[in-house]
Amino acid sequence: MTTYDLLDEATIVATPAEVVRALLDEAAGRSQWWLPFVQMRQRGDKPPSEIGAILDFTVNDGSLGQRFATVRFSGRVTVFEPERRLVMDYFEGDFRGTAEWTLQPVDATHTRIAARWMTDPQGAMRLWSRFADVPGSQSKVMQEGFRAIERFAAEKRAESPAQ
């Protein structure tokens, strides 16, 4: 069976608080900074900053067109340490496993962000993953996400300049 343990990292121009705000806004549907690669939506009333919250993901890296490269899965928040760490257990859909995001401030305006993705493909994805570059697609989506967080944070700073 194919198992993935992938790590993507970047240093971005955003504080840990800005990264968390971007993720929470995206999950709540208040932003769409990760489109067209990822659509993430909160399921139910529990916000993603609470243990047990469920998020539904639709991911498309764009390499093979919308129909063939789209994957769906759902995750439950198991750890949320504000401005430090988020862990999700993927329990439903095309992948099962764990995702862990860690944030480390570098200085007053930069954050080292790391996303570790430890999953197993399920169902038809198990077969499809033998032909697709899952690690490459995952890395592409994450790196695009890191750049999108940086842009989102810059836009939010511009909307509310310091007094």
Side-chain angles (χ1 to χ4, degrees):
M1 175 152 83
T2 304
T3 299
Y4 300 104
D5 187 347
L6 308 172
L7 178 66
D8 282 283
E9 300 176 292
T11 298
I12 63 173
V13 181
T15 66
E18 290 171 328
V19 173
V20 170
R21 177 183 179 179
L23 290 169
L24 295 178
D25 281 359
E26 189 74 4
R30 293 185 296 266
S31 66
Q32 296 183 338
W33 54 261
W34 212 342
L35 287 178
F37 298 99
V38 174
Q39 181 178 39
M40 157 178 37
R41 289 297 174 258
Q42 171 184 321
R43 185 191 300 178
D45 295 332
K46 192 175 278 197
S49 57
E50 289 186 22
I51 304 302
I54 295 175
L55 300 176
D56 296 313
F57 296 85
T58 303
V59 181
N60 181 344
D61 79 351
S63 64
L64 299 174
Q66 188 73 19
R67 181 171 181 217
F68 297 107
T70 300
V71 297
R72 291 175 177 77
F73 51 90
S74 299
R76 181 177 292 108
V77 175
T78 57
V79 176
F80 183 78
E81 298 172 15
E83 301 180 26
R84 294 190 56 231
R85 188 167 162 244
L86 169 69
V87 179
M88 296 195 72
D89 175 37
Y90 294 146
F91 66 92
E92 181 178 273
D94 293 321
F95 289 94
R96 307 281 164 82
T98 304
E100 180 176 6
W101 287 57
T102 55
L103 307 173
Q104 182 178 19
V106 174
D107 58 32
T109 60
H110 293 80
T111 298
R112 182 81 180 151
I113 185 170
R116 186 171 181 198
W117 196 65
M118 300 161 286
T119 64
D120 293 315
Q122 302 294 307
M125 184 54 62
R126 190 173 289 162
L127 175 63
W128 180 249
S129 67
R130 294 177 186 220
F131 303 101
D133 180 11
V134 173
S137 294
Q138 171 67 12
S139 184
K140 176 182 176 181
V141 167
M142 294 312 301
Q143 293 299 323
E144 290 290 341
F146 296 159
R147 287 189 289 275
I149 289 171
E150 194 172 51
R151 288 189 302 271
F152 181 79
E155 289 170 9
K156 290 297 178 186
R157 279 191 303 274
E159 288 174 6
S160 56
Q163 305 285 322

